[in-house]
Each structure stands twice: as C-alpha cells, then as structure tokens.
Amino acid sequence: RQVRTYCEKVKSCQGILALNGEVFVTGDGPDGAALYRLSDVDRNGTLEEVKAIVKFVDSAGRPAKPGEHGAHGLRLGPDGMIYVALGSHVKATGEEGDGQTYRDTYEGDLLPRYEDPAGHGYGVKAPGGTIIRTNVEGSVVERVAGGLRNPYDIVFHSGGAMFVHDADMEADVDTAWYRPNAVFDVTEAGEFGWRTGWAKWPEYYYDRLPDMLDTGRGSPTGGVCYEHYAFPVRYQNTLFMADWSEGRILNVRVKPRGASYVADSEVFLQGQPLNVTDLEVGPDGGLYFCTGGRSTAGGIYRVIYKGEIPDRMTNLGSGIAAAVRQPQVESAWTRQKVASIKRELGDQWNQLVAGVAYSDDNPPDYRVRAMTLMQLYGPIPSEDLLLELSNAESELVRAKSAVMLGQNPKPRGKKRLIALLQDDSPSVQRAACEAMLRGNVIPPGLDSVLDVISSGDRTLSFVGCKLLQRMPAERFREKVLETSDTRVAIVGMLALADIDHSEPTAIRVLERCSEMMTGFLSDADFIDVLRLCQVTLHRSGLDPQKVSV
C-alpha cells in the first residue's frame, strides 16, 4: 500500500467532510483555527487551495488555539447546509444568518459561581458548546443550539432528528452538579444547560431540553446512524456512538415518543485499549472505525456481518427507485451514486423524484427520502408541493413538509405552518414550531401557541416557549399572568421574563408565583415555579434580598 500527503496546509483536523469535489475540515491552518474549504484546482491529486470560510475565537474573543474543546465534527444536513459541533472553548465568527434560532442566552446565577479550581473552563460563559450551520461559502453562520460542553460529532437520524453525544466533566464526579455523558435530541433553539463550575442546569430545569439517554462516564467522540441493510434489522436506523476513554462503541436504539424520542443502549464492541476516535459506514455496509489520539497507536478497523443478507435487501432496483433506496444518504459515496443516477435519468429526474414524494402509494420513509433528495440535488420542492404534502396521512411526511416550508417561507407557507401548530401529532407540532423559529414566522394569535406550551411534553413545550418568546410581550403578558392553567402560567411567564426584563413585570411574575405556591402544586410544578423565580430575578437584575412578595 502507498501513503501520500493529500494536504499539508491544515493540521489538527477534527472534522472532515468531502462535498462536491472539495473537502471541508475543522483544524489549524494558515488563518489559525477555522473551518477550511480545501480544493484541488489543478486536479493533480493534492489539495493546494486553502480558504478559511468560518473562523473561531475563544471565550475572550481572541483567535482560538487548536485543542480538544474546539471545533469538531462536520455533517452535511438534509437542508444542504454544513453543521459543525463546537466545544465550549470556541465560538464561531461571521455574518449571522436569518435562520439563526439560538439567540439570547443567560447564565442564571444568583450567587457567586464556584468554578473548577484547576482552571479548566474558567471564565467560559454561556452558551458554552454550540451547534452551528453555514453554507459552502461560509457567508452566513447560524447558531442552532447551545448549552453543551464538548460535543464531538453530529448524527442525523433517518427519521429526521439531529443527535449529539455530549461529554461530562471528569473533575465534577461525586459532586452534586456532576453531569454525565448524555445523548441529546437537538431542536432548533435548543438549550442543554451546560455552564462552567457548579452552575450547570439540572435536567429537570424546564428551560432546557431533557437528556434522551444517560451514558455515564466516558469521552464521546464520533457517531453515525446506520442506514444500511448489511447488518441485522435490529441495528438498522440505530446510532453507533464512539467512546474514547472507555474503549467502546455503543449501539443506541431510538424510538419516537411524543415530540421526541426515548432510547436505550448496549455495548456493541469494547477493547482494552480501544481508543475510538470516529466511525463511518462503508459501501459494503461494514462499520469502519479509527483509533488513536494523545500519542496512542492508531489504526483503522472494519466490523462486518458474516450472516446471509436477503436478496430483497440488496436489490435496490434501478432508476429513481435505486436513488431513493440508497443507504447512508449523507455519505460521500452515496452522494456520488445518486448524482450518477440523476445524470442517467436526465430530464426525467425532476418528474420522477417529485412523483415519489407525492404518491400516497409509496412508504412514508421513501417519500421523505425523495424530499431530501430534491433539497440536495434539485429541483427544490415548490411551495405547492409542500403544501400538498403537509396534508398527507403520514405524520413523517407532514413533519418533513413543515421543516422544508420553514426554510424559505412564503405567505401561504407561513399560514400553513401556523395551522400545523394544531396538528394531532406532537412531532408535527414540533416541526411546525421549529420551522417557524427558523423562518421567523410569528403567529397572529395566541391560542395555538398556548396549547403547545401546556401540552406536558417537555420537548414540545420547550420549542413552543421559544416561539412565544418571539412575540411582543404586550401580546401575551396579561394572558399568562392571569390564566388559571398552571402550565400555561409557568411556561408563559418564563417566556415573558426572558424578553421583558423590566422591574414592574418581574414584580408581577414574582407575585403570581407567590400566589401559585399558596395553593396546590404538584412537586414538578413547584420546582418549576422556583426555577421561574430564579430566572426572573436573574434576568431583571433585582436584588433577591430586597424583594418582598
């Protein structure tokens, strides 16, 4: 075997994405720590053109240094944008895009903060680690989620969700504020509550999203969704997550529940040592993974299934059927295959791929895949098609249409998104809320939003609260302060306190909280009211010792 240097201008690469004949990497290059676009202009087999398209700075705004808590994994999203996982020691710079959904953030402390005496993360402020997205030019940078510590990779699930596996803080073990490794379901405007030192938000804080799965101690690294057919069915559409320090690969099975998912896991593979850094699914369906890091021995391995694979699984058909049934849609080798099929079909491609999405006779996952292919390869679905699909019987199709309507909403699309807030499916309601956040759609009325925030579903209530925060405070202030519905009052006042920091509003919120605590409250509601008081005092700047309600 021969080894040659592909590019020597960028080092310490922690994320790599091959896309459209170019390579995008996060690493240390001529312009420091950045997301670089590398091009082989003269087609001689080396990447000689290097351009920093998104630069990274540290918490003090200085040029960031390469490290393990900086910029990590890259993924091509189903919307065609590049998503990047950033650790808590760096922030992205650039022109803020209109689709930025993670906007305002706060610490929440009422007492002086105790931080790590060893100095790790000292002085790092919210939002800590973030998920951002950008285009291939880096002309816009949009924060999608924050409150993470050190997510290393991003995983897009075949059902449309985005997951990250966030790291714990070793020095916090055995403290009351220890936060274990966890897999998170990432929403638009998602907040996960990591703050340095003892200020971490517990999982039960309702102004952050809950853990989907606690994975204990370890050092999460790469992840991938297995969308191939070569492994047994039990592994298909599950997540494989690497854990560097524990020397293992976890298999995480996710199942839809309400507006989010529930998950369980098992150790798929473990070794001593097995310092796994990243993994990917190959064209053969094997799970490939690499090891190394911190001056340890590195290697590349493959896990294959030796059992018989049914012919019906391997026969992908031809033409548009083969394009829709391709495994691992976000992989570079799949994108190349789909692009080849599109060239072969020529002028027929547009009609055929739209036909798959449109037809009720096709399985929902095929229809959703066809919609994704249209987004990535063209033709971009028209508003008419998305409006039609938003009325489909399948909630998967309705949710996907809502997401796509939010990427560039027009008047009819905005109206339909508002109507989808009242859909029977919590997952569709969530998709509508997220689409409205991304598309800057403000609902004209209150009732549908209040129904969402009072649903009792943590994830749905969270995105509904974020949507309520986009509305002018005067439109919902009196409603949430005077309502007898406990959940509407609690979540609505949280939204109010987040956008109206005035002393009169803060006093009214605290007075309403005092009234609620004199009556009957469930344990969960009581804790949420206490959290609301904390947030209100912090956001308004009132001195807790001088407040009497």
Side-chain angles (χ1 to χ4, degrees):
R1 297 181 183 274
Q2 294 182 340
V3 178
R4 62 182 175 85
T5 300
Y6 193 36
C7 180
E8 58 183 3
K9 297 182 179 180
V10 183
K11 305 182 186 301
S12 301
C13 298
Q14 300 212 9
I16 303 175
L17 173 66
L19 179 63
N20 300 332
E22 298 180 309
V23 180
F24 296 80
V25 299
T26 51
D28 184 26
D31 292 313
L35 169 61
Y36 286 91
R37 188 177 70 205
L38 314 178
S39 306
D40 181 8
V41 178
D42 57 14
R43 300 301 179 189
N44 67 346
T46 60
L47 300 169
E48 67 277 350
E49 185 174 285
V50 177
K51 181 180 180 181
I53 62 171
V54 176
K55 295 182 180 180
F56 304 119
V57 297
D58 65 16
S59 57
R62 301 165 299 201
K65 298 179 180 179
E68 296 179 357
H69 289 259
H72 297 308
L74 307 173
R75 291 284 178 182
L76 177 66
D79 56 1
M81 297 191 75
I82 298 172
Y83 286 69
V84 190
L86 303 182
S88 57
H89 287 192
V90 300
K91 296 183 291 186
T93 63
E95 182 72 24
E96 180 182 308
D98 292 338
Q100 176 158 299
T101 54
Y102 187 88
R103 298 182 177 181
D104 193 21
T105 187
Y106 53 92
E107 297 289 333
D109 299 338
L110 293 180
L111 298 172
R113 178 180 299 184
Y114 175 85
E115 299 193 57
D116 178 14
H120 182 81
Y122 190 87
V124 173
K125 299 297 183 183
T130 56
I131 304 298
I132 66 166
R133 61 180 163 230
T134 185
N135 54 26
V136 295
E137 301 294 336
S139 59
V140 296
V141 178
E142 298 176 351
R143 284 195 309 194
V144 179
L148 297 160
R149 179 175 181 256
N150 196 31
Y152 197 88
D153 207 353
I154 298 167
V155 180
F156 286 101
H157 186 258
S158 54
M162 174 169 54
F163 300 115
V164 297
H165 192 188
D166 198 19
D168 66 352
M169 174 61 182
E170 307 91 297
D172 289 342
V173 173
D174 294 331
T175 66
W177 55 89
Y178 172 69
R179 164 176 162 142
N181 297 328
V183 180
F184 294 129
D185 174 12
V186 182
T187 70
E188 293 287 345
E191 168 64 70
F192 296 97
W194 182 86
R195 302 293 186 267
T196 188
W198 70 2
K200 297 172 182 63
W201 299 3
E203 185 188 6
Y204 58 78
Y205 276 12
Y206 69 110
D207 47 339
R208 56 152 286 190
L209 289 161
D211 299 359
M212 187 179 75
L213 180 69
D214 178 341
T215 58
R217 283 284 299 114
S219 297
T221 47
V224 69
C225 179
Y226 191 88
E227 298 182 34
H228 213 286
Y229 48 76
F231 279 10
V233 172
R234 65 173 298 188
Y235 295 113
Q236 294 174 18
N237 295 312
T238 65
L239 315 179
F240 285 100
M241 301 287 198
D243 184 340
W244 187 88
S245 64
E246 297 299 309
R248 61 182 181 170
I249 297 174
L250 297 176
N251 179 239
V252 178
R253 296 172 294 271
V254 298
K255 181 180 180 181
R257 177 177 294 177
S260 185
Y261 298 80
V262 292
D264 62 12
S265 68
E266 64 179 2
V267 175
F268 176 74
L269 192 153
Q270 190 163 23
Q272 295 180 339
L274 192 72
N275 43 343
V276 191
T277 55
D278 206 354
L279 31 73
E280 188 56 86
V281 179
D284 60 355
L287 182 67
Y288 290 75
F289 65 91
C290 53
T291 62
R294 293 189 179 180
S295 301
T296 60
I300 299 176
Y301 302 83
R302 180 180 64 169
V303 181
I304 60 173
Y305 176 61
K306 291 188 174 181
E308 184 177 352
I309 304 173
D311 291 340
R312 61 182 177 82
M313 301 292 287
T314 59
N315 182 12
L316 301 181
S318 60
I320 196 64
V324 170
R325 295 188 64 195
Q326 285 297 313
Q328 303 301 134
V329 67
E330 68 175 41
S331 295
W333 52 268
T334 299
R335 294 198 299 272
Q336 187 175 16
K337 179 64 176 177
V338 173
S340 176
I341 294 172
K342 181 183 179 184
R343 284 195 299 270
E344 292 172 1
L345 291 174
D347 294 340
Q348 299 179 69
W349 166 270
N350 290 4
Q351 182 178 353
L352 290 172
V353 71
V356 174
Y358 184 81
S359 177
D360 290 332
D361 295 332
N362 291 318
D365 55 330
Y366 284 12
R367 300 177 70 184
V368 168
R369 172 62 62 83
M371 295 165 74
T372 299
L373 295 183
M374 293 176 73
Q375 179 69 42
L376 297 178
Y377 300 90
I380 302 294
S382 66
E383 185 181 50
D384 286 338
L385 177 59
L386 292 177
L387 291 172
E388 179 72 24
L389 295 178
S390 72
N391 288 289
E393 183 178 347
S394 166
E395 62 184 63
L396 282 175
V397 176
R398 297 200 306 277
K400 179 69 171 180
S401 66
V403 169
M404 298 184 80
L405 281 169
Q407 291 171 18
N408 186 27
K410 297 179 175 62
R412 289 190 300 154
K414 293 178 180 180
K415 184 177 180 180
R416 182 60 185 148
L417 286 173
I418 294 167
L420 287 173
L421 290 177
Q422 298 176 306
D423 195 275
D424 292 337
S425 166
S427 64
V428 176
Q429 291 178 293
R430 167 185 166 174
C433 284
E434 292 191 68
M436 294 170 72
L437 289 169
R438 185 172 182 178
N440 295 299
V441 180
I442 308 300
L446 268 180
D447 291 347
S448 58
V449 182
L450 298 185
D451 287 343
V452 167
I453 68 173
S454 64
S455 66
D457 184 302
R458 278 278 300 273
T459 301
L460 183 56
S461 179
F462 176 89
V463 292
C465 182
K466 292 298 179 183
L467 186 57
L468 190 60
Q469 289 171 6
R470 296 286 187 92
M471 301 174 69
E474 56 270 17
R475 283 183 53 188
F476 67 91
R477 181 187 292 109
E478 299 306 319
K479 181 74 172 182
V480 300
L481 285 169
E482 297 176 2
T483 181
S484 59
D485 186 307
T486 301
R487 294 313 302 174
V488 169
I490 294 174
V491 182
M493 285 191 290
L494 174 68
L496 179 62
D498 195 59
I499 62 174
D500 182 353
H501 306 159
S502 67
E503 181 174 327
T505 293
I507 294 296
R508 291 191 64 191
V509 169
L510 294 172
E511 288 175 341
R512 182 72 178 97
C513 289
S514 180
E515 291 175 7
M516 295 173 72
M517 287 190 285
T518 60
F520 172 78
L521 287 174
S522 68
D523 291 345
D525 287 343
F526 186 80
I527 291 173
D528 288 346
V529 169
L530 290 178
R531 172 59 176 167
L532 174 58
C533 292
Q534 179 185 0
V535 171
T536 301
L537 289 168
H538 175 80
R539 299 293 273 165
S540 65
L542 291 176
D543 185 344
Q545 296 181 342
K546 297 180 180 179
V547 175
S548 176
V549 295

